């Protein structure tokens, strides 16, 4: 399958479906739901990391890349998943975390035990104080001192996630081996975690004004490293697709990463559109979303990637983000309208859509009562820092409620039975009370079904080359409205999505309307969150 044809679905494995009552989602649970996913119409599943891990960061801290975390099942279960998915026209994409390993990984343990070979797999520095002033993305310093070695090691994420040294050729060979092992298992894609952070500069400098990200983001040798990875692993595979997670990146770099002529990746995730409600890049400071900025970003990135023959991976929610309906949309009477408008907006754009489990039934943020319900390590670090900075518990919790990653990780809401039909046991992360009103079973009975809308929009995309290959042109001239055309071989569509909870004046041309999330259309007024698609014949 070509990257243009992919419609992907991200499963946060831990939270999707538990079959043995231990409260943890598992691989047999995914197999059980393959018919559901086929009905939805997706053709790729991205699984969050399934490897052995101490789970400090829910699997993004890998201890053994070659083994399945027993909580998730066995290698036989995994093989079966690949086969069963394949028989339904669905491919599996695995998450590859190659910027860092868990400090429980054998390499790191041997490094700590004094083996220099393995110390050079990581970034250890001798220094009287922290080698630079870089901050960890999860709070605090990015350096940790190891007393018996009298050295510091770099961790851009948690202290238990040590950054790997991609300057070391032997390490790179080890990483290729891992990727090839899974490729040979029959997976058809990889999602590479924070892959644009793998190349660190050879001189380690500080900038007192920043957290240091400019030194290692899209770093000096990153394109070379990714190209080598491609050529040594998946590059020659037919029908294989890769997506790189690009933290704080640029359009130019994303074009390079995803222009197929460069033999790097098939497509890129970027996060600029998810910072329209941040203040100066700061996640833990609240601000209302700036939708003008959002629509402008859609224009610049969609058209910019097109000009450079790059390819976007489009998404609004993922496992690191709050639920977009709670964040930017509507949780109450207009939940259906908001859910369908945002879905239409991003799924029909130029690029590969990535749907995040639960958004197809309009799931919302967790809304837990206290910090004790949250599990995420980043959330707890942030809470501590907010309290230390003088905020009261109430003030801190307003921010945590809006921004915690656990919002996007609550158990899938299948039905109204205990624990939302996710488990017979006690879920690893509590269910949210919303499931009594919001779940797949109820959604299917509703004549305004969000799930039905996702099915229709996916099918529209799959069956029209204009949405698969077509040229995109974004008109950002009406405040609050994302309007664009897609055109291929003379077939042309207009997509108009009101992203705001208010009526907006706009002249709708007289073309045939094929999709509408309201019963009617007024020729010069869009209803709140109204989304329509027209065909120009
Ligand atoms: O995320 C990288 C990343 O940049 C985000 O984690 C972001 O910094 C964070 O959410 C702060 O708001 C990837 C994974 O998607 C994430 O789950 C992992 O925790 C992280 O890498 C480390 O592997
Ligand atoms: Ca389980």
């Amino acid at each position: 399958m070509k990257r243009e044809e992919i419609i992907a679905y991200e499963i946060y494995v831990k939270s999707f479906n538990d079959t043995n009552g231990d409260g943890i989602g598992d691989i047999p649970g995914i197999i059980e739901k393959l018919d559901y996913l086929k009905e939805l119409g997706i053709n790729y599943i991205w699984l969050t990391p399934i490897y052995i891990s101490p789970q400090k960061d829910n699997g993004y801290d890998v201890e053994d890349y070659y083994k399945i975390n027993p909580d998730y099942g066995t290698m036989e279960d995994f093989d079966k998943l690949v086969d069963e998915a394949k028989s339904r026209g669905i491919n599996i994409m695995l998450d590859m975390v190659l910027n860092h390993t868990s400090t429980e990984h054998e390499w790191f343990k041997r490094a700590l035990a004094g083996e220099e070979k393995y110390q050079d797999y990581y970034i250890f520095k001798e220094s009287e104080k922290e080698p630079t002033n870089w901050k960890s993305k999860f709070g605090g310093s990015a350096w940790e001192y190891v007393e018996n070695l009298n050295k510091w090691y770099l961790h851009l994420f948690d202290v238990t996630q040590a950054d790997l040294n991609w300057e070391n050729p032997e390490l790179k060979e080890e990483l290729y081996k891992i990727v090839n092992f899974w490729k040979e298992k029959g997976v058809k894609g990889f999602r590479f975690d924070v892959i644009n952070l793998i190349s660190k500069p050879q001189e380690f400098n500080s900038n007192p004004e920043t957290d240091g990200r400019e030194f290692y983001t899209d770093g000096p040798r990153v394109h070379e490293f990714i190209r080598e990875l491609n050529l040594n692993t998946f590059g020659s595979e037919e029908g294989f697709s890769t997506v790189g997670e690009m933290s704080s990146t640029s359009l130019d770099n994303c074009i390079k990463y995803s222009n197929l002529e460069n033999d790097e990746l098939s497509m890129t995730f970027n996060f600029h559109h998810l910072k329209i409600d941040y203040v100066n890049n700061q996640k833990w400071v609240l601000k209302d979303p700036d939708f003008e900025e959002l629509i402008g970003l859609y224009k610049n990135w969609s058209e910019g990637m097109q000009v450079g023959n790059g390819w976007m991976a489009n998404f609004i929610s993922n496992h690191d983000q709050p639920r977009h309906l709670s964040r930017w949309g509507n949780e109450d009477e207009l939940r259906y309208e908001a859910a369908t408008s945002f879905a239409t907006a991003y799924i029909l754009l130029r690029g590969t859509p990535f749907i995040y489990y639960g958004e197809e039934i309009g799931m919302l943020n967790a809304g837990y009562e206290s910090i004790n319900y949250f599990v995420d390590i980043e959330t707890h670090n942030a809470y501590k820092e907010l309290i230390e900075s003088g905020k009261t518990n109430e003030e801190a919790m307003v921010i945590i409620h809006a921004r915690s990653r656990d919002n996007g990780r609550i158990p899938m809401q299948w039905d109204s039975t205990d624990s939302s039909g996710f488990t017979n046991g006690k879920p690893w992360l509590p269910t949210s009370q919303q499931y009594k009103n919001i779940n797949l079973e109820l959604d299917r009975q509703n004549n305004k079904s969000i799930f039905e809308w996702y099915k229709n929009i996916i099918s529209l995309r799959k069956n029209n080359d204009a949405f698969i290959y077509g040229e995109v042109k974004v008109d950002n001239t009406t405040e609050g409205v994302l309007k664009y055309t897609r055109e291929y071989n003379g077939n042309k569509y207009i997509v108009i999505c009101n992203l705001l909870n208010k009526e907006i004046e706009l002249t709708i041309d007289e073309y045939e309307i094929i999709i509408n999330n309201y019963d009617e259309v007024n020729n010069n007024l869009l209803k709140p969150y109204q989304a329509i698609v027209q065909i120009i014949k």
Side-chain angles (χ1 to χ4, degrees), residues 236-249:
S236 51
E237 286 292 291
E238 274 295 304
F240 207 90
S241 281
T242 53
V243 51
E245 187 201 25
M246 305 303 174
S247 165
S248 304
T249 186

Side-chain angles (χ1 to χ4, degrees), residues 316 324-325 329-331 334-347 358-364 443 449-451 453-454 457 517 529 531:
I316 316 183
H324 67 256
L325 265 192
N330 190 284
E331 299 188 320
L334 294 177
R335 194 173 62 90
Y336 169 81
E337 288 74 11
T340 53
S341 184
F342 280 101
T344 308
Y346 89 90
I347 291 177
E359 69 169 82
E360 76 277 21
I361 55 167
M363 280 172 61
L364 306 177
D443 185 87
S449 161
I450 299 174
F451 179 65
W453 182 276
Y454 270 78
I457 219 77
N517 61 354
Y529 301 114

Side-chain angles (χ1 to χ4, degrees), residues 409-424:
R409 301 176 177 182
I410 61 177
M412 175 67 180
Q413 294 165 184
W414 297 106
D415 57 40
S416 315
T417 61
D418 282 351
S419 296
S420 66
F422 161 72
T423 178
N424 297 324

Side-chain angles (χ1 to χ4, degrees), residues 37 62 108 127 142 152 156-158 176 189 221 229 243 318 334 391 415 428 444 448 452 454 466 485 487 514:
L37 296 173
V62 181
F108 195 81
S127 174
W152 302 78
L156 294 182
F157 294 89
D158 186 53
Y176 304 156
R221 297 180 69 188
L229 172 68
V243 51
N318 77 11
L334 294 177
K391 296 241 179 315
D415 57 40
W428 72 276
R444 279 183 186 279
K448 282 177 162 186
E452 280 303 315
Y454 270 78
T485 53
E487 184 173 9
I514 55 168

